[in-house]
Amino acid sequence: MTPIFDALARHAQDRPGAIAFRDGERTMTWADLARAVSRAAAGFAAGPRCVGLALAGLDYVIGDLAATLAGRCVVPVPGFFSAGQVAHLLADSGAMLIDRLPADATGLPLAYSGGAARVIYTSGTTGRPKGVILGDRQVTASALGLSQAIGPGPGDRYLSVLPQAQLLEQISGIFLPILAGAETVLCPEGTACLFSGDGRALARRAVACDPTVTVLAPRQLTLWVAALREGIPAPRGLRYVAVGGAPVSPALLAEARALSLPVAEGYGLSEACSVVALTPADAPGGSAMQSVPGLDLRIEDGEIVVDGPTVMAGYLGRAPQVGVPNHALLYPPLLRRRQPCV
């Protein structure tokens, strides 16, 4: 995480008045963000070691960065979880629920000293949800690899539409834009359409803020395409729209591209810190995905094998991976995760 905090400090010094994040009518410059993260980090440093972040919007952005800077274990709490699901998540992880930002006027310097981790719970579609442990090594490698693959820069504007408790959105909507110095527009309309089934508000918001990059779930793409069919135009500045998390039909991808959404597919899993392969931005439709720089993907015995620095430290409360020393549970040199072919 050191490169991310170094970038935040650099932007706050070199471009203090430039907008870093927008959340409706609320905006935050790089200097504002640096101050808010510093103060909240001091508050987290005086609190529990493991925190369940039940925050939203800009408060989630600040809270995630601040808790990480303070060396805490971050457990994102999805806003759509039931009370029972939240209780299970907190009991299983030992986290204390945080629903408002702590603050200390003294602040902490934006010099990350390590020690933070995050626990991301799997969907549970193939069994009981498991807590995936990710540390500095995994998150940093994932952010740097995706930055190399997508090539974001200060001129980009990211449209954040996935739930912030999703690991993919933490990397794509917080860490990558900070590395690039790009503006992020938080779009609750995009998240809401996952539950409402109406993509028109997402489509209109996208036109209003004219993003260059966004990441969608297949359902969001389906709803956005339906809104485009009704006559809402696609944003003119879009250069890359990644979609993943579930199978996407070739027909939907083709229609999205015909309606001026430059869609590219991605593939990944929480156990490998989200994205492990994606279609390059300049690739023609139907092109195969390429592995994220720094990762090795291959087929063995009918399974996709992912090797590299983004692979998880292990599952919370479970024995470390076979062949990995116990003392290396949080930061092993190399782990292997097998995923069935799809």
Side-chain angles (χ1 to χ4, degrees), residues 20 35-36 42 52 60 86 90 94 113 124-125 137 141 150 180 199-200 214 226 235 264 269 278 283 299 331 340-341:
R35 282 191 293 268
Y60 182 87
V86 172
L90 297 176
S113 57
T125 53
R137 178 173 178 265
I150 299 173
R200 287 173 290 187
T214 191
L269 61 166
L278 70 170
I299 304 294
Y331 304 103
C341 287

Side-chain angles (χ1 to χ4, degrees), residues 278-307:
L278 70 170
T279 307
D282 56 353
S287 297
M289 287 183 274
Q290 297 180 6
S291 60
V292 171
L295 300 184
D296 174 35
L297 273 65
R298 58 189 182 276
I299 304 294
E300 290 184 7
D301 301 325
E303 295 179 319
I304 299 174
V305 176
V306 181
D307 279 343

